[in-house]
Amino acid sequence: MESSNPSVTALQKAQDITSRWADGELGAEEAQHALKSVFDHWQPADATTEAEQVAESSLAAARIAFQDWQQRGENCEELVTQLRWILDPSKDGVTDPALNVYAPHRSE
């Protein structure tokens, strides 16, 4: 379920990369390059729907966390945990399927 909105698409890519990194499908270096590419190419736009607004705020927060982590160069597991939480709109009660395509599914 791809959206034509660049922010929703970027959020889906970031969720996919983060989930694959957490699951061990991607190595740390590969995941970091992929996330950097997503964040470098993503430009916030005028959000017209709730899904777009949520995608933009999630991406902005994830980009800040990622850039901060790059400067500190600390624990990869901590970054993955932070990104999974930031990129999961269900934490804010948003259940739009377009925003949760690749999000980690919680059993709680």
Side-chain angles (χ1 to χ4, degrees):
M1 179 185 289
E2 282 290 308
S3 168
S4 60
N5 180 276
S7 293
V8 173
T9 301
L11 177 65
Q12 291 171 342
K13 288 178 183 175
Q15 288 173 334
D16 181 46
I17 294 163
T18 302
S19 291
R20 291 171 55 210
W21 186 7
D23 293 342
E25 292 177 39
L26 289 177
E29 193 170 317
E30 185 180 8
Q32 291 165 35
H33 285 295
L35 285 170
K36 183 178 183 326
S37 177
V38 169
F39 294 139
D40 286 350
H41 290 94
W42 170 68
Q43 292 296 318
D46 290 331
T48 56
T49 66
E50 181 188 28
E52 292 167 5
Q53 292 169 348
V54 169
E56 292 204 0
S57 63
S58 294
L59 284 166
R63 181 165 57 187
I64 290 167
F66 182 72
Q67 289 172 342
D68 180 58
W69 176 84
Q70 280 187 311
Q71 290 176 353
R72 290 181 290 127
E74 295 179 11
N75 189 323
C76 286
E77 288 181 33
E78 177 186 331
L79 175 65
V80 171
T81 300
Q82 288 176 350
L83 290 177
R84 287 183 78 158
W85 187 82
I86 291 169
L87 295 171
D88 182 359
S90 68
K91 75 181 178 311
D92 296 323
V94 179
T95 58
D96 187 318
L99 299 178
N100 289 291
V101 172
Y102 300 113
H105 297 287
R106 296 190 181 139
S107 57
E108 301 101 13

